[in-house]
Amino acid sequence: MERRFKVYVYEEGEPPLLHLGLCKDIYTIEGRFIEQLELLAPPAAGVRTRDADRAHAFFLPFSVVQMVELAYRPLSYDRAPLLSLVGDYVRVVASRHPFWNRSAGADHFMLSCHDWAPDVSKGDPELYANGIRALCNANTSEGFRPGKDVSIPEINLYTGDTPRQLLGPSPGLSARPYLAFFAGGQHGHIRELLLRHWKGRDPATFPVYEYDLPSATGSSSSHKRRGRDRQSDYFAYMHRSRFCLCPSGYEVASPRVVEAIHAGCIPVLVTDGYAPPFADVLRWESFSVSVPVADIPRLKEVLERIPTAEVERLREGVRLVKRHFTLRQPPERLDMFHMILHSVWLRRLNFRLDH
């Protein structure tokens, strides 16, 4: 892929709806991918080409996050303006270039980490049916097709940079007294079930909290502390846990998966219908545990029955895949940016263009 794959970025449109995205908080990956692909300058860029006739894939550089921010009327529950923007953009590039019409969009891709992105992609029927949709919200029960679409990691960089608490060495198993850890709100039925069964039940070995995470340093309660202090406590719990629970919220993806990997904590996926990122090349069973939602009442028992040797094997798997879930600036080989492009490349190989 590194020597052959070429991506053409359509130049039509202007910021802030196109060629620009939010590069921090829960939508970090959307903005950073758009930014990094836009900044690649041929010929040194490798994957990016300005010669559309040489391209294997074509990127639609709109930001769903920016569309929601600027074109959605709050509390209107009307997504029609967002779908119209996507449909209009596809019509523009299809009218100016031959590439969309020759493939019905099958060699084109979009990328978004917004929850509404799967719905917004319906703004053009061919984009939804044929295009490669790179999505955080990779829910197979809502139209995500793993053989055609790309699942991308959700990553929450509050300031745009990896938190300093996750940059240091990861503690060993002996320094992790907690079996598993979770802290978060009742966002969706899976988390509601998790909190109902496990919140406050066994804080000594299986700490599960809502918005009442105690201080890791013994200071005042969480609601009185600054956000940065609460974030430090959150990562401190991850560093002291063998497993980190990553239940779906309102949508299937969770930034806890990437946070757990960076903390050396084994992610426990508690979800229905989630297609995890990079599953074409990564064996998720080698560095994570998947637990059906129906087994939430038995969650502690399920994790306790995993032998120590298996826990160590899974932790080694976490260590090995960490680089694939890391954003670099500028991008580096095998990092998250290149893993996403590789996933697009694999799907492009599945489509044969008849000249």
Side-chain angles (χ1 to χ4, degrees):
M1 181 203 85
E2 293 169 299
R3 290 192 297 268
R4 296 183 57 195
F5 188 41
K6 299 297 179 185
V7 173
Y8 180 78
V9 180
Y10 283 112
E11 297 180 356
E12 281 76 9
E14 297 180 355
L17 295 182
L18 293 118
H19 309 287
L20 184 70
L22 187 66
C23 293
K24 61 181 181 179
D25 295 326
I26 197 70
Y27 304 121
T28 296
I29 188 59
E30 179 173 321
R32 288 282 287 273
F33 184 88
I34 294 173
E35 176 189 74
Q36 291 178 337
L37 195 54
E38 291 274 357
L39 288 175
L40 292 178
V47 70
R48 186 181 176 189
T49 179
R50 294 195 187 277
D51 182 355
D53 290 318
R54 296 184 61 217
H56 303 97
F58 300 81
F59 181 53
L60 303 167
F62 56 76
S63 168
V64 176
V65 173
Q66 295 288 74
M67 289 179 180
V68 173
E69 178 69 21
L70 299 171
Y72 172 73
R73 187 160 57 88
L75 302 180
S76 69
Y77 305 103
D78 180 13
R79 302 181 189 177
L82 313 179
L83 275 73
S84 294
L85 285 169
V86 170
D88 290 345
Y89 189 72
V90 170
R91 281 189 288 275
V92 167
V93 299
S95 67
R96 295 183 180 179
H97 306 273
F99 312 109
W100 181 277
N101 292 325
R102 74 180 183 182
S103 68
D107 53 359
H108 288 59
F109 72 103
M110 60 165 283
L111 181 142
S112 179
C113 208
H114 198 283
D115 290 350
W116 296 354
D119 188 44
V120 173
S121 70
K122 297 175 183 177
D124 185 273
E126 289 183 330
L127 173 60
Y128 181 81
N130 306 326
I132 301 168
R133 302 176 306 152
L135 305 169
C136 288
N137 188 10
N139 191 338
T140 58
S141 69
E142 296 179 358
F144 182 89
R145 292 157 57 189
K148 177 187 78 71
D149 299 321
V150 170
S151 176
I152 60 175
E154 188 170 77
I155 181 168
N156 191 357
L157 299 185
Y158 302 93
T159 65
D161 298 317
T162 301
R164 59 176 179 78
Q165 297 91 341
L166 298 180
L167 294 175
S170 173
L173 208 58
S174 61
R176 296 175 179 266
Y178 302 130
L179 175 64
F181 161 70
F182 173 80
Q186 292 195 35
H187 300 161
H189 72 283
I190 294 177
R191 290 205 205 169
E192 182 180 352
L193 185 62
L194 175 69
L195 290 167
R196 188 192 321 149
H197 278 277
W198 294 107
K199 178 184 173 181
R201 189 166 166 182
D202 186 2
T205 62
F206 200 80
V208 173
Y209 299 100
E210 196 170 350
Y211 291 116
D212 53 349
L213 180 65
S215 168
T217 60
S219 60
S220 58
S221 60
S222 62
H223 71 278
K224 296 180 181 178
R225 301 195 310 280
R226 294 177 303 171
R228 186 171 298 179
D229 294 332
R230 292 197 296 271
Q231 186 188 59
S232 295
D233 291 333
Y234 178 78
F235 292 132
Y237 272 91
M238 280 192 159
H239 276 130
R240 301 185 69 195
S241 303
R242 298 185 173 199
F243 298 94
C244 287
L245 307 182
C246 305
S248 294
Y250 291 126
E251 304 298 346
V252 289
S254 170
R256 286 170 180 77
V257 175
V258 174
E259 292 167 348
I261 289 171
H262 280 259
C265 186
I266 302 164
V268 179
L269 307 184
V270 187
T271 180
D272 283 329
Y274 181 45
F278 315 143
D280 303 289
V281 292
L282 299 183
R283 294 175 53 250
W284 276 77
E285 66 272 18
S286 70
F287 62 92
S288 70
V289 175
S290 291
V291 177
V293 174
D295 284 345
I296 285 178
R298 300 178 50 249
L299 193 51
K300 185 179 178 183
E301 176 190 349
V302 169
L303 298 179
E304 283 179 330
R305 294 179 66 178
I306 299 176
T308 301
E310 175 68 4
V311 173
E312 291 284 17
R313 186 188 68 82
L314 290 169
R315 275 179 38 82
E316 175 62 12
V318 167
R319 186 188 67 80
L320 291 174
V321 302
K322 180 179 176 179
R323 63 177 175 171
H324 304 314
F325 293 89
T326 300
L327 279 175
R328 304 289 188 187
Q329 187 74 304
E332 297 179 4
R333 187 172 183 266
L334 299 176
D335 68 358
M336 192 185 299
F337 176 79
H338 285 95
M339 291 294 288
I340 292 171
L341 284 174
H342 183 258
S343 296
V344 174
W345 165 242
L346 291 177
R347 279 139 189 84
R348 177 60 182 83
L349 291 176
N350 290 337
F351 171 74
R352 180 176 179 179
L353 185 63
D354 295 321
H355 293 281

Short mmCIF file of all heavy atoms in Angstrom, two decimals, residues 263-288:
data_model
loop_
_atom_site.label_atom_id
_atom_site.label_comp_id
_atom_site.label_asym_id
_atom_site.label_seq_id
_atom_site.Cartn_x
_atom_site.Cartn_y
_atom_site.Cartn_z
N ALA A 263 -3.27 3.15 28.48
CA ALA A 263 -3.01 2.95 29.91
C ALA A 263 -2.52 1.54 30.22
O ALA A 263 -2.29 1.21 31.38
CB ALA A 263 -4.27 3.26 30.72
N GLY A 264 -2.37 0.70 29.19
CA GLY A 264 -1.94 -0.68 29.42
C GLY A 264 -3.01 -1.52 30.09
O GLY A 264 -2.70 -2.54 30.72
N CYS A 265 -4.26 -1.11 29.94
CA CYS A 265 -5.40 -1.78 30.56
C CYS A 265 -6.16 -2.53 29.47
O CYS A 265 -6.42 -1.99 28.39
CB CYS A 265 -6.29 -0.72 31.22
SG CYS A 265 -7.66 -1.35 32.19
N ILE A 266 -6.53 -3.77 29.72
CA ILE A 266 -7.18 -4.60 28.70
C ILE A 266 -8.60 -4.11 28.47
O ILE A 266 -9.41 -4.09 29.40
CB ILE A 266 -7.20 -6.07 29.13
CG1 ILE A 266 -5.77 -6.58 29.38
CG2 ILE A 266 -7.90 -6.93 28.08
CD1 ILE A 266 -5.71 -7.88 30.15
N PRO A 267 -8.94 -3.69 27.25
CA PRO A 267 -10.31 -3.22 27.00
C PRO A 267 -11.31 -4.37 27.05
O PRO A 267 -11.05 -5.46 26.52
CB PRO A 267 -10.23 -2.64 25.58
CG PRO A 267 -8.79 -2.58 25.22
CD PRO A 267 -8.09 -3.61 26.05
N VAL A 268 -12.43 -4.11 27.70
CA VAL A 268 -13.54 -5.07 27.74
C VAL A 268 -14.69 -4.45 26.96
O VAL A 268 -15.32 -3.49 27.41
CB VAL A 268 -13.97 -5.39 29.18
CG1 VAL A 268 -15.13 -6.38 29.18
CG2 VAL A 268 -12.79 -5.96 29.97
N LEU A 269 -14.96 -4.98 25.78
CA LEU A 269 -16.02 -4.45 24.93
C LEU A 269 -17.35 -5.03 25.36
O LEU A 269 -17.55 -6.24 25.32
CB LEU A 269 -15.75 -4.78 23.46
CG LEU A 269 -14.37 -4.41 22.90
CD1 LEU A 269 -14.31 -4.73 21.41
CD2 LEU A 269 -14.05 -2.95 23.14
N VAL A 270 -18.24 -4.15 25.79
CA VAL A 270 -19.59 -4.56 26.18
C VAL A 270 -20.53 -3.84 25.23
O VAL A 270 -20.85 -2.66 25.40
CB VAL A 270 -19.90 -4.19 27.64
CG1 VAL A 270 -21.23 -4.79 28.06
CG2 VAL A 270 -18.79 -4.65 28.57
N THR A 271 -20.95 -4.55 24.19
CA THR A 271 -21.65 -3.87 23.11
C THR A 271 -22.45 -4.86 22.29
O THR A 271 -22.22 -6.08 22.36
CB THR A 271 -20.63 -3.14 22.21
OG1 THR A 271 -21.31 -2.47 21.16
CG2 THR A 271 -19.63 -4.11 21.62
N ASP A 272 -23.36 -4.36 21.51
CA ASP A 272 -24.09 -5.14 20.52
C ASP A 272 -23.92 -4.48 19.17
O ASP A 272 -24.15 -3.27 19.03
CB ASP A 272 -25.60 -5.20 20.86
CG ASP A 272 -25.91 -6.19 21.98
OD1 ASP A 272 -25.18 -7.19 22.10
OD2 ASP A 272 -26.87 -5.94 22.73
N GLY A 273 -23.51 -5.23 18.17
CA GLY A 273 -23.46 -4.72 16.81
C GLY A 273 -22.27 -3.86 16.46
O GLY A 273 -22.26 -3.23 15.41
N TYR A 274 -21.23 -3.83 17.31
CA TYR A 274 -20.08 -2.98 17.05
C TYR A 274 -19.05 -3.71 16.21
O TYR A 274 -18.63 -4.82 16.55
CB TYR A 274 -19.46 -2.54 18.37
CG TYR A 274 -18.25 -1.63 18.24
CD1 TYR A 274 -18.25 -0.56 17.36
CD2 TYR A 274 -17.11 -1.84 19.02
CE1 TYR A 274 -17.15 0.29 17.26
CE2 TYR A 274 -16.01 -1.00 18.93
CZ TYR A 274 -16.04 0.06 18.03
OH TYR A 274 -14.95 0.90 17.94
N ALA A 275 -18.63 -3.09 15.11
CA ALA A 275 -17.54 -3.62 14.29
C ALA A 275 -16.27 -2.88 14.69
O ALA A 275 -16.11 -1.71 14.35
CB ALA A 275 -17.84 -3.40 12.81
N PRO A 276 -15.36 -3.49 15.43
CA PRO A 276 -14.19 -2.77 15.95
C PRO A 276 -13.22 -2.38 14.84
O PRO A 276 -13.17 -3.02 13.78
CB PRO A 276 -13.54 -3.76 16.92
CG PRO A 276 -14.02 -5.09 16.47
CD PRO A 276 -15.38 -4.89 15.89
N PRO A 277 -12.44 -1.33 15.06
CA PRO A 277 -11.52 -0.83 14.03
C PRO A 277 -10.41 -1.82 13.68
O PRO A 277 -9.96 -2.60 14.52
CB PRO A 277 -10.91 0.43 14.68
CG PRO A 277 -11.86 0.82 15.76
CD PRO A 277 -12.45 -0.46 16.25
N PHE A 278 -10.00 -1.77 12.44
CA PHE A 278 -8.82 -2.47 11.92
C PHE A 278 -8.91 -3.98 12.09
O PHE A 278 -7.90 -4.68 12.17
CB PHE A 278 -7.54 -1.96 12.60
CG PHE A 278 -7.45 -0.46 12.72
CD1 PHE A 278 -6.90 0.14 13.85
CD2 PHE A 278 -7.92 0.37 11.71
CE1 PHE A 278 -6.81 1.52 13.96
CE2 PHE A 278 -7.85 1.76 11.81
CZ PHE A 278 -7.29 2.34 12.94
N ALA A 279 -10.14 -4.51 12.13
CA ALA A 279 -10.33 -5.94 12.35
C ALA A 279 -9.87 -6.77 11.16
O ALA A 279 -9.76 -8.01 11.27
CB ALA A 279 -11.79 -6.24 12.69
N ASP A 280 -9.60 -6.14 10.03
CA ASP A 280 -9.06 -6.88 8.88
C ASP A 280 -7.67 -7.42 9.19
O ASP A 280 -7.28 -8.47 8.68
CB ASP A 280 -8.95 -5.96 7.65
CG ASP A 280 -10.27 -5.34 7.27
OD1 ASP A 280 -11.13 -6.07 6.78
OD2 ASP A 280 -10.44 -4.12 7.48
N VAL A 281 -6.91 -6.68 9.99
CA VAL A 281 -5.51 -7.04 10.23
C VAL A 281 -5.17 -7.26 11.70
O VAL A 281 -4.13 -7.86 12.01
CB VAL A 281 -4.56 -5.97 9.64
CG1 VAL A 281 -4.63 -5.98 8.12
CG2 VAL A 281 -4.89 -4.58 10.18
N LEU A 282 -6.01 -6.79 12.61
CA LEU A 282 -5.76 -6.98 14.04
C LEU A 282 -6.69 -8.04 14.60
O LEU A 282 -7.90 -8.01 14.34
CB LEU A 282 -5.95 -5.67 14.81
CG LEU A 282 -5.04 -4.49 14.45
CD1 LEU A 282 -5.32 -3.31 15.38
CD2 LEU A 282 -3.57 -4.88 14.51
N ARG A 283 -6.14 -8.94 15.38
CA ARG A 283 -6.96 -9.97 16.06
C ARG A 283 -7.37 -9.41 17.42
O ARG A 283 -6.60 -9.43 18.37
CB ARG A 283 -6.16 -11.26 16.22
CG ARG A 283 -5.82 -11.95 14.89
CD ARG A 283 -4.94 -13.18 15.10
NE ARG A 283 -5.48 -14.11 16.07
CZ ARG A 283 -4.97 -14.33 17.27
NH1 ARG A 283 -3.88 -13.68 17.68
NH2 ARG A 283 -5.53 -15.19 18.09
N TRP A 284 -8.58 -8.91 17.49
CA TRP A 284 -9.03 -8.25 18.72
C TRP A 284 -9.04 -9.20 19.92
O TRP A 284 -8.87 -8.76 21.06
CB TRP A 284 -10.41 -7.61 18.50
CG TRP A 284 -10.28 -6.27 17.87
CD1 TRP A 284 -10.02 -5.99 16.56
CD2 TRP A 284 -10.36 -5.01 18.54
NE1 TRP A 284 -9.94 -4.64 16.37
CE2 TRP A 284 -10.15 -4.00 17.56
CE3 TRP A 284 -10.60 -4.62 19.86
CZ2 TRP A 284 -10.15 -2.64 17.87
CZ3 TRP A 284 -10.62 -3.27 20.17
CH2 TRP A 284 -10.38 -2.29 19.18
N GLU A 285 -9.21 -10.48 19.67
CA GLU A 285 -9.20 -11.44 20.78
C GLU A 285 -7.82 -11.57 21.40
O GLU A 285 -7.67 -12.13 22.49
CB GLU A 285 -9.70 -12.80 20.31
CG GLU A 285 -8.82 -13.51 19.29
CD GLU A 285 -9.14 -13.15 17.85
OE1 GLU A 285 -9.80 -12.10 17.63
OE2 GLU A 285 -8.72 -13.91 16.95
N SER A 286 -6.78 -11.03 20.75
CA SER A 286 -5.43 -11.11 21.30
C SER A 286 -5.09 -9.94 22.23
O SER A 286 -4.05 -9.96 22.89
CB SER A 286 -4.39 -11.15 20.17
OG SER A 286 -4.31 -9.92 19.50
N PHE A 287 -5.97 -8.93 22.30
CA PHE A 287 -5.67 -7.80 23.19
C PHE A 287 -6.92 -7.20 23.85
O PHE A 287 -6.85 -6.14 24.47
CB PHE A 287 -4.91 -6.69 22.44
CG PHE A 287 -5.66 -6.07 21.28
CD1 PHE A 287 -6.44 -4.94 21.46
CD2 PHE A 287 -5.56 -6.61 20.01
CE1 PHE A 287 -7.12 -4.37 20.40
CE2 PHE A 287 -6.23 -6.04 18.94
CZ PHE A 287 -7.01 -4.92 19.13
N SER A 288 -8.05 -7.87 23.73
CA SER A 288 -9.28 -7.36 24.36
C SER A 288 -10.17 -8.53 24.73
O SER A 288 -9.93 -9.67 24.34
CB SER A 288 -10.01 -6.42 23.41
OG SER A 288 -10.57 -7.13 22.31
#
